[in-house]
Amino acid sequence: MLSIGDFARLGHVSPRMLRHYDDVGLLRPERVDNATGYRSYTVAQLGRLHRVLALRDLGFGLEQIGAVLDDDPPLEQLSGMLRLRRAELAQGLVEDEDRLRRVEAHLRALEGSTQMQTHNIVLKNTDPARVAETIGTAPGFGHQHLGPVFQRLVPKVLAHLERTGARPGIMIAWYEEPADDGSVVVHAGFDIANQAVDDGADVHVTELPEVFVASVMYHGAMEDIEGVYVTLVQWIEDSGYHLAGRSRELYHVWDDDDPTRSVTEIQMPIAK
Amino acid sequence: MLSIGDFARLGHVSPRMLRHYDDVGLLRPERVDNATGYRSYTVAQLGRLHRVLALRDLGFGLEQIGAVLDDDPPLEQLSGMLRLRRAELAQGLVEDEDRLRRVEAHLRALEGSTQMQTHNIVLKNTDPARVAETIGTAPGFGHQHLGPVFQRLVPKVLAHLERTGARPGIMIAWYEEPADDGSVVVHAGFDIANQAVDDGADVHVTELPEVFVASVMYHGAMEDIEGVYVTLVQWIEDSGYHLAGRSRELYHVWDDDDPTRSVTEIQMPIAK
DNA sequence: TTGCTCCTCACGTCACGTGAGGTGGC
DNA sequence: TTGCTCCTCACGTCACGTGAGGTGGC
C-alpha cells in the first residue's frame, strides 16, 4: 500500500489531482483510514491512473473518462468518441490557423503604421436590412467624386419617404463594381425597417441580404476615409480572405455641423 | 442615446456581455440613470466596442484589451504583444496537431482490436534511477528466450545486494539493440535509490537517465506481453513519433504465485 | 392590466493550484 | 521538539450564460 504522496510520485501527478479524482469518483483509493482520512493506493491502481492520463491527454473531460472506464463501452462507441474528438480537434485547428493569420495581418498593418487604429476590424454577419434607395453614377471612387452624387440622391429618397409618411432609419450606401472607365453605380438610401413604402419614380425598396463581412468603424470626415479602405483591403488579403461582394457604408452618426464627429461603418463582404 | 438592448443588437453582442464589460471597466456606458440604474450608450461607443471585439477575436484577455485601449501603448509594444500572441498560437497549433495524431493512432489501434486496452499509453519523462544490474545475452526477444536469462541474472544481483547490505527496490530490465543474429544483451537489476553499493564481479551500479518515453502499464503474465509491444510500437509510429533508445521494463508488481497479477510497465524512448 | 426591457445578485463552468489552519507519525 | 506528510475546507481561474426575483415604461 502506498501513501498518496508515493503514489503521486510514481504516477507523475500531484496529490491534489489524486484527491480531485477521488472527489469526482474517477479513481478511488484502495482504502481510506477511518480515523485519519489518510488515503492508501496500490501499485495495481497505476493501470487505472494510466488510462485516465491517456484519455485526458487526448482532450476528454473527466466525466467522459469515467464513463469510458466504468461502463466499458463497446468498440464502436469508443471509436465514435474518438472520431468526434478528432473532428473537434480538426475544427479547432482550422479556427486557430485562421486566427493566426489574422494576427499576422494585424502585424503587417502595424508595420504600415497607418494612422488608423487597425485593431478595429470585426468579422460578422450583417443583419439584413430593408432600404428605400435610389441610384446614381459617379465618375469614380473617392470623396470628390462621390460627394456630389450623394448630395443629389439623398434628398430624393428623403422626399419620397416623407410623401409616404415613413420615418427614415439609418442611411446606407453601397457600390456596384466599377465599370471599365472607372465609373461607379452608387446606391444610396435609408433603412425603413418593416414600414410599408411603395416604390416611387426613382426610389425603390430593396432588401440587403445577410452577408459575412469585415467591418470597420471609422470616426471622422468622409474626405479621409480612403486610407481606411486601403488598410482594410490589405488586411483582408493578408488574413487569407478575399472580397466577395459589394461593399457598404452605414452612416451611424451623420453630423453636418462637425463632420469629424461622424461615425461610419464600412462593411466589405468576404469569403475564405 | 441607446438602451443596452439596442446597443447590444447594433454591436452583435449580448446585453450580459455589455454589463460584464461595464463591471470590469472595459466599456462604460455613456451614462447610467441614478434612480433606475439603466445604462445608456451612444453610437460613437461602437468604435470602442469594435476594438474590444477585434482584440478578443485574436485571443487577448479582457484585462490586456483594457490596457491596450486605455494606455495607448507605443507601436513597438503593440507589435510585441501581437508577436507574443502569434508565438502562443503557433505553439498551440503544434500541440493540437500532435494531439490529433495521437487520437488517430488510437483509432487505428482500435481497428486492430487487440485485446489490450489501448487507451493506456502515457507520454512522460522517466525519473532517472540508480540501479545495480548485471548483463546476460539471450538468443532473441520473447518470453521463451528471455525467461531463462532472467532466472540466471536476478539471483546474482540479489546476492550482491545482500552482501553489501542494501535493500533492493523495484526490479528493472532494459535491452540493447539486437545484434545481426537477433541475439539481445539483457540488463537486469534493481533500483537502489541512493544507497551506497560497490560494484561486484558481475554487478555494476549504473544510472538510467531521464528520457522521454511512451509508457504502458501491462497487467498479466509475461508470456503474453509481446502483443503489448506490437501495439505500442505501432501506436508510436502512427502518432508521428519514432523510437529513440533502448526500451525498459519496470516490474511494479512481481507475483510469483499468480503471474497474472503482475504489473509491468513498458517504457519506450521516443522522439518526434 | 399585460408584455417587454432592464436591474442586481449569484451560481455554474473545468480541472485543478494554492493557501489556510490543523493533525499524526518519526 | 522539529520537520514532513496528510487532511479538509474554500477561494481563484476566465468570460460570460443562465436563472431568480423584482421593478419601470408603454
Side-chain angles (χ1 to χ4, degrees):
Chain A
M1 298 285 260
L2 302 167
S3 72
I4 195 171
D6 291 339
F7 189 64
R9 265 183 294 279
L10 204 53
H12 286 215
V13 297
S14 71
R16 176 62 171 105
M17 274 178 64
L18 293 175
R19 291 195 193 98
H20 185 60
Y21 292 165
D22 183 8
D23 285 347
V24 300
L26 194 53
L27 177 58
R28 289 271 157 74
E30 186 70 20
R31 61 174 297 272
V32 177
D33 187 283
N34 272 339
T36 63
Y38 277 35
R39 280 164 258 250
S40 299
Y41 295 83
T42 63
V43 175
Q45 292 187 281
L46 268 182
R48 178 145 178 135
L49 178 57
H50 245 227
R51 282 190 284 279
V52 171
L53 296 180
L55 291 170
R56 193 191 59 157
D57 171 63
L58 302 183
F60 289 104
L62 297 190
E63 197 161 353
Q64 267 189 87
I65 295 175
V68 170
L69 295 196
D70 294 331
D71 305 350
D72 192 33
L75 276 190
E76 320 134 31
Q77 195 179 328
L78 257 183
S79 86
M81 290 177 60
L82 285 171
R83 269 176 236 282
L84 177 57
R85 195 76 253 285
R86 179 173 62 181
E88 290 168 355
L89 275 169
Q91 179 59 28
L93 279 173
V94 170
E95 282 166 19
D96 280 350
E97 282 162 2
D98 290 352
R99 194 184 316 278
L100 179 56
R101 256 185 246 114
R102 267 173 264 143
V103 169
E104 284 169 347
H106 278 287
L107 268 168
R108 248 166 288 167
L110 266 192
E111 281 169 21
S113 180
T114 52
Q115 289 308 47
M116 160 208 185
Q117 287 159 304
T118 123
H119 41 289
N120 180 354
I121 302 170
V122 168
L123 306 182
K124 64 180 178 188
N125 290 303
T126 60
D127 4 56
R130 280 185 75 230
V131 295
E133 63 166 37
T134 188
I135 296 178
T137 303
F141 280 113
H143 183 68
Q144 76 277 23
H145 295 135
L146 295 171
V149 179
F150 280 117
Q151 300 275 328
R152 207 156 37 76
L153 298 182
V154 169
K156 280 207 259 186
V157 182
L158 284 175
H160 180 75
L161 289 177
E162 192 158 6
R163 246 174 281 138
T164 59
R167 278 190 324 255
I170 189 183
M171 182 174 142
I172 300 178
W174 59 277
Y175 307 99
E176 299 189 10
E177 313 271 320
D180 288 344
D181 64 356
S183 66
V184 190
V185 174
V186 178
H187 296 240
F190 291 84
D191 188 303
I192 52 170
N194 46 19
Q195 299 171 89
V197 173
D198 294 333
D199 278 4
D202 296 328
V203 177
H204 302 277
V205 172
T206 183
E207 188 110 16
L208 297 188
E210 177 183 334
V211 286
F212 186 62
V213 299
S215 154
V216 175
M217 287 291 164
Y218 168 68
H219 288 243
M222 294 308 288
E223 290 112 76
D224 305 324
I225 206 170
E226 233 174 307
V228 181
Y229 267 100
V230 172
T231 306
L232 179 56
V233 168
Q234 183 66 46
W235 184 91
I236 288 170
E237 202 170 296
D238 286 343
S239 51
Y241 295 92
H242 60 86
L243 297 179
R246 289 89 176 260
S247 63
R248 304 177 191 169
E249 289 173 355
L250 313 201
Y251 307 94
H252 290 293
V253 175
W254 182 268
D255 194 319
D256 275 321
D257 299 332
D258 183 358
T260 66
R261 302 190 54 193
S262 297
V263 177
T264 309
E265 179 177 359
I266 303 174
Q267 297 182 338
M268 305 199 89
I270 58 173
K272 278 213 280 193
Chain B
M1 299 285 263
L2 301 167
S3 72
I4 194 171
D6 291 339
F7 189 64
R9 264 184 294 278
L10 204 52
H12 287 216
V13 297
S14 71
R16 177 62 172 105
M17 274 177 64
L18 292 175
R19 290 195 194 101
H20 186 59
Y21 293 165
D22 184 8
D23 285 347
V24 300
L26 194 53
L27 178 58
R28 289 272 157 73
E30 185 71 20
R31 59 175 298 271
V32 177
D33 188 283
N34 272 339
T36 63
Y38 277 35
R39 281 165 259 251
S40 299
Y41 295 82
T42 63
V43 175
Q45 291 187 282
L46 268 181
R48 179 147 178 131
L49 177 58
H50 245 225
R51 282 191 284 279
V52 170
L53 296 180
L55 290 169
R56 193 191 59 158
D57 170 63
L58 302 182
F60 290 104
L62 297 190
E63 197 161 353
Q64 268 188 86
I65 295 175
V68 170
L69 296 196
D70 293 331
D71 306 350
D72 191 33
L75 275 189
E76 319 135 33
Q77 195 179 328
L78 258 182
S79 86
M81 290 177 60
L82 285 171
R83 268 177 236 283
L84 178 57
R85 193 78 255 285
R86 177 173 62 180
E88 289 169 354
L89 275 169
Q91 179 59 29
L93 278 173
V94 170
E95 282 166 20
D96 280 349
E97 281 161 1
D98 291 351
R99 194 186 315 278
L100 178 55
R101 256 184 244 112
R102 269 173 263 144
V103 169
E104 283 170 347
H106 278 287
L107 269 168
R108 248 165 287 167
L110 266 191
E111 282 169 19
S113 180
T114 52
Q115 288 309 47
M116 161 208 185
Q117 287 159 303
T118 122
H119 42 290
N120 181 355
I121 302 170
V122 169
L123 306 182
K124 64 180 177 186
N125 290 304
T126 61
D127 5 53
R130 280 185 75 232
V131 295
E133 62 165 40
T134 189
I135 296 177
T137 304
F141 281 111
H143 184 67
Q144 75 278 22
H145 297 309
L146 296 170
V149 179
F150 279 117
Q151 300 276 327
R152 210 155 35 77
L153 299 182
V154 169
K156 280 207 259 189
V157 182
L158 284 175
H160 181 73
L161 289 177
E162 192 157 6
R163 247 174 281 139
T164 60
R167 279 190 323 255
I170 190 184
M171 183 175 142
I172 300 179
W174 60 276
Y175 307 99
E176 300 188 10
E177 313 272 319
D180 289 344
D181 64 355
S183 67
V184 190
V185 175
V186 178
H187 296 241
F190 291 84
D191 188 301
I192 54 171
N194 47 18
Q195 299 172 91
V197 173
D198 296 331
D199 279 5
D202 297 329
V203 176
H204 302 278
V205 172
T206 185
E207 188 111 15
L208 296 187
E210 177 183 335
V211 284
F212 187 62
V213 299
S215 155
V216 175
M217 287 289 164
Y218 168 67
H219 289 242
M222 295 307 290
E223 292 111 75
D224 305 323
I225 206 171
E226 233 174 306
V228 181
Y229 267 100
V230 172
T231 306
L232 180 56
V233 168
Q234 182 66 46
W235 184 90
I236 289 170
E237 201 170 296
D238 286 344
S239 50
Y241 295 92
H242 60 85
L243 297 180
R246 290 86 176 262
S247 64
R248 305 176 190 169
E249 288 173 355
L250 312 202
Y251 306 95
H252 290 293
V253 175
W254 183 267
D255 195 319
D256 274 322
D257 299 333
D258 182 358
T260 65
R261 302 191 54 192
S262 298
V263 177
T264 308
E265 178 177 0
I266 303 174
Q267 298 181 338
M268 306 199 89
I270 58 173
K272 279 211 282 193

